[in-house]
């Protein structure tokens, strides 16, 4: 059983930056960041499989960067040029499935508790 613990959320003005961290208790090849705003479906923000090329949602492409420190078993999400529409609860997710890029939220077996990101205009 792998545990995921997120940190780094907070409140920031539009145009600002935040970095989220997700500490994992074990290695899983497929790791992702999701977000969910009130009244909306959970959205996949960024995904990385093993040492492969990250994949991003169109809404965050060019502003967010997903990265991993395998030695620390920590996943990061650097968020720049934040917009009010980025406001959401952000979740780290992981799975052993190598079909990482096409996995639906319900197919991820491991989730963190979430960290709130609030962007004011």
């Amino acid at each position: 059983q792998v545990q995921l613990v997120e940190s780094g959320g907070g409140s920031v003005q539009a145009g600002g930056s935040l970095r989220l961290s997700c500490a994992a208790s074990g290695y899983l090849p497929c790791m992702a960041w999701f977000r969910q705003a009130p009244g909306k479906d959970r959205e996949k923000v960024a995904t990385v499989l093993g040492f492969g090329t990250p994949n991003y949602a169109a809404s965050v492409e060019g502003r967010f960067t997903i990265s991993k420190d395998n030695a620390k078993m920590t996943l990061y999400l650097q968020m720049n040029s934040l917009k009010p529409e980025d406001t959401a609860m952000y979740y780290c997710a992981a799975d052993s499935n190598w079909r990482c890029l096409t996995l639906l939220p319900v197919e991820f077996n491991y989730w963190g508790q979430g960290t709130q990101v609030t962007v004011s205009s």
Side-chain angles (χ1 to χ4, degrees):
Q1 188 79 2
V2 173
Q3 293 185 330
L4 305 175
V5 179
E6 299 105 332
S7 60
S11 296
V12 65
Q13 289 191 327
S17 299
L18 284 172
R19 188 176 81 155
L20 306 182
S21 299
C22 172
S25 62
Y27 173 77
L28 289 167
C30 173
M31 299 198 78
W33 287 99
F34 286 81
R35 66 186 180 186
Q36 188 166 21
K40 294 189 176 181
D41 292 335
R42 192 163 293 193
E43 174 190 19
K44 186 183 288 185
V45 174
T47 309
V48 62
L49 173 63
F51 295 97
T53 302
N55 182 267
Y56 299 95
S59 57
V60 306
E61 182 86 51
R63 300 188 297 121
F64 290 12
T65 302
I66 188 172
S67 62
K68 293 194 300 183
D69 183 330
N70 288 318
K72 296 181 179 179
M73 291 194 295
T74 300
L75 181 73
Y76 301 100
L77 185 68
Q78 177 66 44
M79 304 185 294
N80 298 329
S81 301
L82 282 161
K83 304 175 180 180
E85 51 263 44
D86 295 319
T87 296
M89 185 71 78
Y90 283 71
Y91 297 91
C92 172
D95 201 84
S96 58
N97 197 321
W98 286 83
R99 293 188 300 107
C100 191
L101 300 185
T102 59
L103 284 182
L104 299 173
V106 69
E107 295 175 299
F108 279 82
N109 282 306
Y110 302 97
W111 289 88
Q113 81 286 358
T115 186
Q116 178 67 37
V117 171
T118 302
V119 184
S120 58
S121 57

